[in-house]
Structures are given as structure tokens and as C-alpha cells.
Amino acid sequence: MSLEAELERAQGLDESELADAIESIGFECTRCGACCKGYETDDGPEPHTATIFPDEVRTIQEATEYDSGVTEGAADSTSDASLEWRDIARPMPYGLTEGEGGLEGETFEWALQTNACGDCRFYDEDESGMGACQVHDDRPLICETYPFSVALAGTSQPMGEAVDEEGMVRAHECEGLGRDISRDDAEELARALKERAVREVEEAIAVSDIYEPIETGPGEVVVHDSEGAKRMDGTPIE
């Protein structure tokens, strides 16, 4: 299936049908934080990896103020210091290799930045273990729609195993699945799911249209996104 055909299919998604599927599966966030944390694998620790689009990085930059002396991402509403690009996003690790000078190579798109533990840098947890997103109102679409995805095939085929599915809606591992959800909340999730499906294909088309390979040296990373080639700090490569 071509990207243009994928886009047409994404744009034609019926939000009411998506909401029906979400209602049928059921969901309520328990604030366990599992979707915001890194996890252990047979090959060692795996950091949290969630796609963030370039405009979503800027939205977080513009909508939040942080204490520049805080390294773990704790919010400070009295600070005039805003986050830099690299505070919010890191190069998507797929395609990069570990060289003597660190990560190097070319990759596509960005992932939310993580802390030293591999958790999303915007994830916070209180003493009782209840999790919270510090940028909840401005979180990326992939976070807004988890644990659901839409399977369109091709570029939009979601990563990860589905534990439940209804029509084109897939549900991924989450302890909140199977719980009652209101129609209003299901419709809001459906709207975001459709928007995410469309955006993912639009981003892929834009990257494909402007991509030109760039030779990288030791310790050098190039990220290709829908706006062109960028350095790790988000600045464009002319």
C-alpha cells in the first residue's frame, strides 16, 4: 500500500466506529506509570521510547516553564527558564550504533527524552507510587492514545503485540484495559486516535519527500523528520 493510499484510509476512519471499539474493549487509566517507564528485557534495560513530532516538541517548550537547574524534569512554575529541544526529545534509537564517541548514524523521527533510569523525563511519581505526567495537557498524541492504536497496515502498523483488538483498533498491554469507559471519553480517545493515524502517515510522507542521505562521522547523529535533517539538539542541518 502506498503512503498516499494509507493517508486516504486514515483520513476516512470513522470516529464513531473507533469509539464503539474502544467502548467494547474498555479502558480506565490507573496511573500505574507502566507506559511511561523503561523496562527490563533479556538483553538488559530498555528505555521508554515514544514518538514525538517536531511541533509537539515546540508545544511543550512553549507551554511549560522549568527550573533550569533541575535535571530530572521536576516542574517549577516560578521559573523563567524553558526547556531546550534536547531536554524534551532524543533521536529515535533505531538505526543508530554505539561508537567510541557515543551514538552515531542516521535515524528518523524523535522519541521523548528519558532520565537516567530510562523513564520518560516528564513522568513523576508520588510517595504512594501514583504516577503523573508533568506535561499532561500538552503530551504527544502517542501518549494521549495509549494503550490503543489503529492498524492501517504499512507505515501505520503499530509496533508491539496487541493483547486485544476490535476491528481496526488494537489494545496494548495495560492494567487499565477492560474497565468501563464513558461514551464521551471513548469519543475523545477515538478523535485522538484518528488524528494520530493521519499525522503518522503525513509525517512519513514529508520525510520521504525531502530525505537526502547525510554521511555522519564518529559520534555524529542526524535525525530526519518532516521538517528536514537536524542535529541532536534540534537545529537544522543546512
Side-chain angles (χ1 to χ4, degrees):
M1 181 184 294
S2 69
L3 288 174
E4 288 71 23
E6 277 188 63
L7 179 58
E8 185 175 347
R9 194 176 185 197
Q11 292 170 333
L13 287 170
D14 187 318
E15 291 184 21
S16 179
E17 291 181 2
L18 297 180
D20 289 344
I22 292 169
E23 264 194 305
S24 177
I25 295 172
F27 170 69
E28 179 185 13
C29 179
T30 64
R31 293 178 62 186
C32 70
C35 61
C36 305
K37 298 178 181 179
Y39 55 93
E40 291 293 329
T41 70
D42 293 338
D43 298 322
E46 182 72 23
H48 172 267
T49 303
T51 304
I52 181 168
F53 301 134
D55 65 304
E56 293 177 326
V57 176
R58 287 190 289 271
T59 293
I60 292 176
Q61 284 182 306
E62 294 166 1
T64 59
E65 293 180 340
Y66 284 77
D67 184 340
S68 59
V70 174
T71 59
E72 292 301 320
D76 180 354
S77 60
T78 63
S79 173
D80 292 328
S82 60
L83 294 176
E84 296 181 358
W85 186 284
R86 68 173 71 228
D87 295 322
I88 300 169
R90 62 189 175 97
M92 190 64 74
Y94 310 122
L96 300 180
T97 58
E98 189 71 45
E100 293 184 2
L103 288 176
E104 55 189 46
E106 289 183 289
T107 189
F108 297 88
E109 297 297 354
W110 301 88
L112 275 166
Q113 186 58 274
T114 55
N115 60 23
C117 297
D119 301 340
C120 175
R121 71 149 298 164
F122 296 110
Y123 176 71
D124 194 22
E125 201 169 85
D126 62 24
E127 294 180 357
S128 68
M130 187 71 74
C133 174
Q134 298 171 28
V135 291
H136 186 269
D137 290 343
D138 301 293
R139 65 197 187 283
L141 280 167
I142 195 169
C143 303
E144 185 178 353
T145 55
Y146 196 86
F148 297 103
S149 62
V150 178
L152 291 175
T155 302
S156 297
Q157 184 67 24
M159 296 180 64
E161 295 294 327
V163 297
D164 199 356
E165 54 187 302
E166 185 75 28
M168 297 178 68
V169 175
R170 303 180 75 202
H172 303 266
E173 187 173 357
C174 175
E175 71 173 35
L177 288 172
R179 298 169 180 257
D180 290 339
I181 184 171
S182 70
R183 183 65 187 185
D184 286 346
D185 287 345
E187 289 177 348
E188 181 62 21
L189 256 174
R191 178 207 59 76
L193 263 181
K194 178 176 180 177
E195 181 182 356
R196 174 183 159 196
V198 171
R199 282 295 308 278
E200 286 175 343
V201 184
E202 288 178 338
E203 292 284 317
I205 290 174
V207 171
S208 177
D209 286 345
I210 61 178
Y211 170 72
E212 291 184 7
I214 296 178
E215 186 174 346
T216 58
E220 185 179 7
V221 172
V222 173
V223 182
H224 298 275
D225 63 28
S226 58
E227 299 172 348
K230 293 188 176 82
R231 301 178 181 87
M232 289 182 68
D233 62 0
T235 56
I237 297 175
E238 301 299 335

